[in-house]
Amino acid sequence: LLLMVCVVVSYVIQRYNVRAVQPSGAALIVGVAFGAVARAKTARGADVAAFQFSPQAFFYGLLPIIIYSAGLNLKRRDFFADFFTIALFAFVGTVISSFVFGLSTFVLVEIGVIARKHLGSNPLLECLLYGTLISSTDPVATLSVFADVSAPPLLYNLVFGESVLNDAVAVVLFRTLAEFYEQEFTVSTFWTVIGQFILVSIGSLLIGIAIALGTALLLKTLGLAEAPPNVAASYNGTAYTFALLLISGYFSYVLAENVGMSGIMSIFFTGIGNAHYSYHNVGEEAQIAVFKSFEAAAFLSETFVFAYLGMQVATFDHLWDFGILLTGIPLAMAARAVNIFPLSRLANTLRETPIPRNVQVMHAACGLRGAVAYALAVNMPSTRPGEQGSRAVETGTLVICLVSTLVLGGATLPLMKHLGLHDPSDR
């Protein structure tokens, strides 16, 4: 019922060109409403745990199909034309944002703005982990606006390209930092983290490409482009194509995760490889039906993720640290500005076509936070007896996700108009 309501609301928003709220923001609001009803119906919250966010369901059930579909339906020519700039923002920019936000938060802990008692035994590393998860952007709402108002191609490519790589980068960096939670964080530790981060990124990319090449070869060998003579009447090449492509994506994800690499990064490049190679080894019907099916599945997953996130606002057992709540959004925006503007200037020294200032400002404003950030917050390590993660950080992350999606996402179109990036001929 929750998912059906969200889909209908999303359709109404798109059908009647509602600008006040985007589909992702509407799914959040619907999720909050459902969560409030669920909480009210439980006996003093005794059964509320049944509605709590499951990182396992998110990372293994919902996120893979979203990332895989992004790779399959990617406009590869535009993506790789700006790949250096996109990689600069996604890799270097994420590291910059993570450490700027994390170190600034630690300073606030040291001066007493944020209560140390709400953190674990290693506040420095916990702040860095908080900075890393907050640097995971989720611009689904912004991209939906771009699709409606014909955003400039350069802006669309930078935001979309950064977003699909950024989630993977943030997860890899988060997990790498988490390995050092019970150790003293020093300068040498920093370089060890960066080294592991680079190794995991390269390994994940190679796994993804290798699985895609193997899948393309398998599809070509099976001859799924057309039915062989004298086959059973029930033969359906499209169904087999969909099954094999789905299995190849999940195999890439699970394999990467089990060898210590990044499943998100691996499945993304498997999607790109399958779109480039496997696409030409299947029939015309499959070329349309299969790839559109993955797009629809990703839409359902995205919708449910935002609704699921909204439910946590009403059902989670919050720990309110007003230092975290009041400084979260300003620090997140400042950390992204420190990332986008200097790196844009660096990229412009190497690009034939420079990134205009108004595109830079819009790019900086597109750092919406979503379910990846919250899923990582749920996985925060903790050495406190009987506690899992940090409730104060989870609450702060939820507030940032809510405000950025509803407020900043809703302000995208007015800001585009102000910056001269909106075509007046669009509605």
Side-chain angles (χ1 to χ4, degrees):
L1 178 61
L2 170 63
L3 188 56
M4 183 177 290
V5 170
C6 289
V7 170
V8 171
V9 171
S10 176
Y11 169 77
V12 171
I13 289 173
Q14 296 285 349
R15 174 67 178 81
Y16 295 100
N17 201 32
V18 178
R19 301 295 193 187
V21 63
Q22 299 309 311
S24 55
L28 265 174
I29 295 171
V30 171
V32 172
F34 268 73
V37 171
R39 182 137 196 161
K41 286 189 175 182
T42 56
R44 297 181 181 179
D47 299 325
V48 169
F51 300 97
Q52 292 303 306
F53 190 90
S54 169
Q56 289 74 26
F58 174 72
F59 279 115
Y60 285 93
L62 298 171
L63 185 61
I65 198 68
I66 296 173
I67 302 298
Y68 191 41
S69 176
L72 284 172
N73 294 286
L74 183 72
K75 296 179 180 178
R76 297 182 300 281
R77 179 176 298 178
D78 293 337
F79 178 81
F80 286 107
D82 289 313
F83 184 74
F84 169 77
T85 307
I86 291 169
L88 187 65
F89 288 122
F91 288 86
V92 180
T94 301
V95 174
I96 291 174
S97 293
S98 299
F99 279 86
V100 168
F101 186 100
L103 293 175
S104 299
T105 303
F106 181 67
V107 170
L108 295 175
V109 173
E110 291 293 290
I111 63 178
V113 175
I114 295 174
R116 184 182 290 267
K117 65 180 180 180
H118 290 159
L119 302 177
S121 61
N122 192 339
L124 172 58
L125 199 58
E126 192 160 342
C127 289
L128 291 176
L129 287 167
Y130 183 29
T132 301
L133 66 90
I134 285 300
S135 297
S136 172
T137 59
D138 192 350
V140 175
T142 305
L143 290 175
S144 67
V145 177
F146 287 175
D148 291 340
V149 299
S150 301
L154 176 60
L155 176 61
Y156 186 93
N157 292 340
L158 291 179
V159 173
F160 180 78
E162 181 203 1
S163 70
V164 292
L165 285 180
N166 169 272
D167 283 348
V169 171
V171 170
V172 172
L173 186 57
F174 181 91
R175 291 177 176 173
T176 306
L177 282 168
E179 294 177 6
F180 296 89
Y181 184 77
E182 296 186 12
Q183 302 177 25
E184 183 181 358
F185 196 83
T186 64
V187 175
S188 62
T189 307
F190 169 80
W191 290 113
T192 302
V193 168
I194 297 300
Q196 289 189 16
F197 169 69
I198 294 172
L199 178 64
V200 169
S201 299
I202 295 174
S204 304
L205 185 150
L206 293 177
I207 290 174
I209 293 175
I211 298 297
L213 291 174
T215 304
L217 178 61
L218 176 62
L219 291 172
K220 184 176 182 179
T221 303
L222 293 175
L224 287 173
E226 55 186 35
N230 303 319
V231 298
S234 61
Y235 169 85
N236 188 328
T238 300
Y240 285 106
T241 300
F242 181 86
L244 290 172
L245 287 176
L246 180 64
I247 292 170
S248 74
Y250 271 94
F251 176 64
S252 172
Y253 187 89
V254 173
L255 176 63
E257 289 290 313
N258 279 276
V259 297
M261 299 293 114
S262 168
I264 298 177
M265 196 173 295
S266 176
I267 198 174
F268 175 65
F269 282 100
T270 297
I272 292 177
N274 279 336
H276 187 70
Y277 296 106
S278 299
Y279 181 85
H280 302 288
N281 294 325
V282 300
E284 292 184 4
E285 178 185 341
Q287 288 178 347
I288 299 174
V290 171
F291 289 84
K292 287 297 182 182
S293 296
F294 278 110
E295 188 176 350
F299 164 71
L300 287 175
S301 296
E302 290 170 356
T303 301
F304 184 72
V305 162
F306 278 102
Y308 201 12
L309 194 63
M311 290 185 67
Q312 306 315 298
V313 176
T315 60
F316 180 63
D317 184 18
H318 295 286
L319 176 59
W320 305 100
D321 185 307
F322 291 99
I324 290 179
L325 298 179
L326 295 176
T327 61
I329 288 291
L331 281 181
M333 296 177 67
R336 185 159 177 83
V338 172
N339 155 12
I340 298 298
F341 294 115
L343 291 184
S344 295
R345 189 170 184 176
L346 174 61
N348 282 346
T349 62
L350 303 171
R351 291 172 55 90
E352 292 183 5
T353 305
I355 304 171
R357 187 67 177 179
N358 57 350
V359 171
Q360 294 179 34
V361 173
M362 194 68 229
H363 188 191
C366 291
L368 309 184
R369 274 65 174 180
V372 173
Y374 184 67
L376 291 176
V378 173
N379 281 331
M380 286 278 287
S382 176
T383 57
R384 290 181 179 276
E387 273 195 26
Q388 175 63 37
S390 171
R391 290 195 294 130
V393 169
E394 284 188 47
T395 298
T397 303
L398 269 177
V399 170
I400 291 175
C401 292
L402 200 65
V403 172
S404 65
T405 300
L406 295 177
V407 179
L408 301 182
T412 298
L413 181 58
L415 183 57
M416 287 181 65
K417 290 180 177 179
H418 177 72
L419 295 172
L421 295 171
H422 175 249
D423 186 349
S425 63
D426 287 319
R427 290 184 298 168

